[in-house]
Amino acid sequence: MDDIERKIIFVPYCLMTKRFTAQNRNDTEEVLKVLSDFKTGIVQMPCPHLVSLMNEENTGKAEHPHCSEFVKEIKQNPGNLYTGIINPLLIQIEKYKQLNFEITGIIGIKGSPVCGIYNPTVKEYGSFIILLNKELRNRGIHLRMVAI
């Protein structure tokens, strides 16, 4: 396997799953075409929002994936919400690095309160990306990040 086959990028769940993509986001096919042109493999990150909804006792909330309760919870206690998905994701990133994959970076969703690489409205990154980046730095891993 040559080096070009060992480039990967981590992308948010909603980029790869059209039913979860908001209307104002970039065209998924265009982004995937660019990644394909650069011969970059794609690794879909778990969706923090979807995982939290799967854990809800009230399944009726799943009908409203952008509910205010979710946004309120991530602001109050993001660590509890993301614990179950950050560690497996960190392990996955470390394993790719051990196998000599070049991780070209992480794509986030512009303006997302969860997976936003930078949200100009609140002048910060999304809550999941903040915790992920902190844990990556704690492990000595520095990845480029870009928003679409």
Side-chain angles (χ1 to χ4, degrees), residues 7 12-13 16 46 51 55 64 101 103-104 117-118 120 128 145:
K7 285 192 328 186
Y13 180 85
M16 302 293 291
V51 169
N55 293 328
H64 306 288
F101 278 80
I103 302 174
T104 59
I117 295 303
Y118 183 75
F128 178 70
M145 298 188 179

Side-chain angles (χ1 to χ4, degrees), residues 17 38 43 52-53 63-64 70 81-82 100 112-113 125 128 138 140 144:
T17 309
F38 283 100
V43 179
S52 73
L53 289 175
E63 296 171 9
H64 306 288
F70 178 76
L81 223 51
Y82 304 143
N100 295 319
S112 168
Y125 291 79
F128 178 70
N138 287 344
R144 291 180 294 235

Side-chain angles (χ1 to χ4, degrees), residues 91-110:
I91 291 168
Q92 186 178 21
I93 290 169
E94 289 176 324
K95 291 292 182 191
Y96 274 117
K97 290 182 84 51
Q98 288 172 3
L99 294 170
N100 295 319
F101 278 80
E102 175 191 349
I103 302 174
T104 59
I106 296 175
I107 292 177
I109 302 298
K110 183 179 179 181

Side-chain angles (χ1 to χ4, degrees), residues 120-136:
T121 306
V122 293
K123 299 193 178 356
E124 65 181 30
Y125 291 79
S127 57
F128 178 70
I129 297 298
I130 288 171
L131 288 175
L132 177 60
N133 201 22
K134 176 183 171 192
E135 292 301 321
L136 287 168

Side-chain angles (χ1 to χ4, degrees), residues 40-59:
T40 302
I42 299 165
V43 179
Q44 184 181 28
M45 293 187 292
C47 175
H49 196 171
L50 183 62
V51 169
S52 73
L53 289 175
M54 283 191 261
N55 293 328
E56 290 287 338
E57 290 178 22
N58 179 3
T59 57

Side-chain angles (χ1 to χ4, degrees), residues 14-32:
C14 57
L15 179 68
M16 302 293 291
T17 309
K18 287 186 178 189
R19 299 259 317 152
F20 286 88
T21 303
Q23 294 175 353
N24 62 345
R25 298 206 178 126
N26 289 356
D27 184 20
T28 299
E29 281 117 23
E30 183 180 333
V31 173
L32 297 178

